[in-house]
Amino acid sequence: MTYRADPARYGAMSYRRCGKSGLKLPAISLGLWQNFGGTRDYPSAFEILGYAFDNGITHFDLANNYGPPPGSSEELFGQVLARDFRPYRDEMIISTKAGYHMWDGPYGEFGSRKYLLASLDQSLKRMGLDYVDIFYSHRYDPETPLEETMGALAHAVRSGRALYVGISSYPEHETREAHRILKEMGVALTIHQPSYSVLNRWIEDDKTIDACGELGIGMIAFSPLAQGVLSGKYNRGKKEGTRAGDTHSTLRESHIEPRVLDAVEKLGPIAEKRGQSMVQLALSWVLRRDEMTSALVGVRTLDQLRDNLGVLKNLELTVEEIAAIDQATAGGLMELHPRPSGWLR
């Protein structure tokens, strides 16, 4: 049966301008990290992807190493594009990244021109695309000159392989430098993708979010639910059927230690008073900042996606609610900071 997108798909979604660019993103974007790899069959993948697009999610976020195994998320999404989404390509924002380990040898990770452009070509081939809408440097590389990394991003735009470029997990100083270098090359730094949640506020602590607002760089938060912790499903030490029991998960024990889970439990009454799920409260909090263009969610099931989309019914938080959230989470913040090799947890 041929897929036909819902004619009313743009009715309920809110679209936000990405910094000072001409690009708009949906308030909720869908990431294909962990849940759309080799273990996902086509029918269950398209059930989620099709529902997302039918409900106004136009932005699908990938990376070269998403899976598992690495590359399989792009391959699966490429199949969906070829079989069902192809007529709607120009209505979609498709992004990918390079920075983490992808192949053996000295050219298979980090920020060299060799690696970034080779990886982009491989990503395009896996997805069956001529270009991506956004290409990211997935992490800062302290051993490669930032001019080289940003030069590779600029070349991706000039060669027609990407329409926009971004960075992910760059601290404040490196964000400013990346913006300056690209501007001198005549290419805009359009977007920054950091981890950000009510329990993970590093971009506030080191002023990265303020820098992006000042420079006109859009922002899209990954892990806005702290890898599911903010759904409340880990409370009381529950692990069965969650990422904590998944050998491929990056969730650490420090994410579900008692002080963190105590903070999550304290958020419950605030969500209930607002008529929201815990997930919806957490997404409302991330999207409260003007600098934040979109929240990037990852889902395993259609019900989870529906829950995420429910936030659109009540995005506004009062000053009193924000203060109550800050008080509830004061003792449970995660100690997360960007590091070249990954994240300190």
Side-chain angles (χ1 to χ4, degrees), residues 303-323:
D303 284 342
Q304 289 176 346
L305 179 56
R306 291 191 181 106
D307 190 13
N308 283 300
L309 287 169
V311 71
L312 298 171
K313 299 175 182 177
N314 189 10
L315 279 171
E316 299 301 321
L317 287 166
T318 66
V319 173
E320 292 76 18
E321 287 170 333
I322 292 172

Side-chain angles (χ1 to χ4, degrees), residues 274 276 280-288 311 314-315 317:
R274 284 172 52 82
Q276 288 185 312
Q280 292 162 7
L281 176 67
L283 292 173
S284 297
W285 186 89
V286 165
L287 291 167
R288 83 198 188 286
V311 71
N314 189 10
L315 279 171
L317 287 166

Side-chain angles (χ1 to χ4, degrees), residues 87-341:
Y88 306 100
R89 170 65 183 100
D90 290 338
E91 297 181 43
M92 296 178 176
I93 299 298
I94 300 169
S95 61
T96 196
K97 315 176 195 72
Y100 287 93
H101 181 267
M102 192 59 189
W103 62 83
D104 292 337
Y107 319 118
E109 65 178 329
F110 279 112
S112 71
R113 179 184 180 93
K114 167 72 173 176
Y115 166 65
L116 291 175
L117 294 177
S119 178
L120 177 54
D121 285 342
Q122 292 180 20
S123 292
L124 293 174
K125 184 177 181 179
R126 281 191 289 267
M127 290 188 283
L129 292 173
D130 296 323
Y131 70 94
V132 290
D133 298 279
I134 304 170
F135 181 51
Y136 289 91
S137 167
H138 208 166
R139 60 172 167 171
Y140 172 67
D141 179 356
E143 297 184 356
T144 296
L146 196 54
E147 288 80 3
E148 178 175 340
T149 302
M150 293 304 107
L153 295 186
H155 183 74
V157 172
R158 291 172 182 150
S159 64
R161 286 125 112 179
L163 300 185
Y164 302 93
V165 291
I167 55 177
S168 180
S169 301
Y170 276 49
E172 185 260 354
H173 174 73
E174 287 75 14
T175 296
R176 290 185 179 276
E177 281 297 288
H179 175 271
R180 178 188 64 79
I181 293 165
L182 280 171
K183 186 176 182 180
E184 290 176 355
M185 295 178 177
V187 175
L189 177 54
T190 301
I191 192 166
H192 189 311
Q193 184 178 133
S195 67
Y196 183 51
S197 75
V198 68
L199 298 176
N200 170 19
R201 308 187 184 194
W202 76 267
I203 60 171
E204 294 181 2
D205 296 338
D206 89 335
K207 307 300 183 184
T208 296
I209 192 168
D210 298 312
C212 287
E214 173 192 333
L215 298 171
I217 303 168
M219 302 194 84
I220 179 169
F222 76 85
S223 293
L225 305 179
Q227 296 196 56
V229 174
L230 283 163
S231 70
K233 65 185 178 182
Y234 294 101
N235 287 8
R236 307 302 179 190
K238 179 184 176 185
K239 294 184 181 181
E240 185 178 352
T242 67
R243 286 185 184 176
D246 185 347
T247 57
H248 296 291
S249 176
T250 57
L251 188 74
R252 302 289 183 88
E253 287 293 331
S254 60
H255 290 176
I256 50 175
E257 61 186 43
R259 66 177 187 86
V260 174
L261 298 184
D262 285 346
V264 175
E265 288 202 18
K266 291 176 183 176
L267 291 173
I270 302 173
E272 186 176 356
K273 187 175 181 180
R274 284 172 52 82
Q276 288 185 312
S277 67
M278 289 282 292
V279 163
Q280 292 162 7
L281 176 67
L283 292 173
S284 297
W285 186 89
V286 165
L287 291 167
R288 83 198 188 286
R289 296 277 305 235
D290 291 338
E291 300 93 338
M292 197 59 59
T293 311
S294 183
L296 185 60
V297 302
V299 300
R300 291 172 182 257
T301 68
L302 195 56
D303 284 342
Q304 289 176 346
L305 179 56
R306 291 191 181 106
D307 190 13
N308 283 300
L309 287 169
V311 71
L312 298 171
K313 299 175 182 177
N314 189 10
L315 279 171
E316 299 301 321
L317 287 166
T318 66
V319 173
E320 292 76 18
E321 287 170 333
I322 292 172
I325 291 168
D326 288 343
Q327 183 177 1
T329 57
L333 297 181
M334 297 176 176
E335 300 295 331
L336 297 182
H337 305 282
R339 292 290 185 269
S341 60

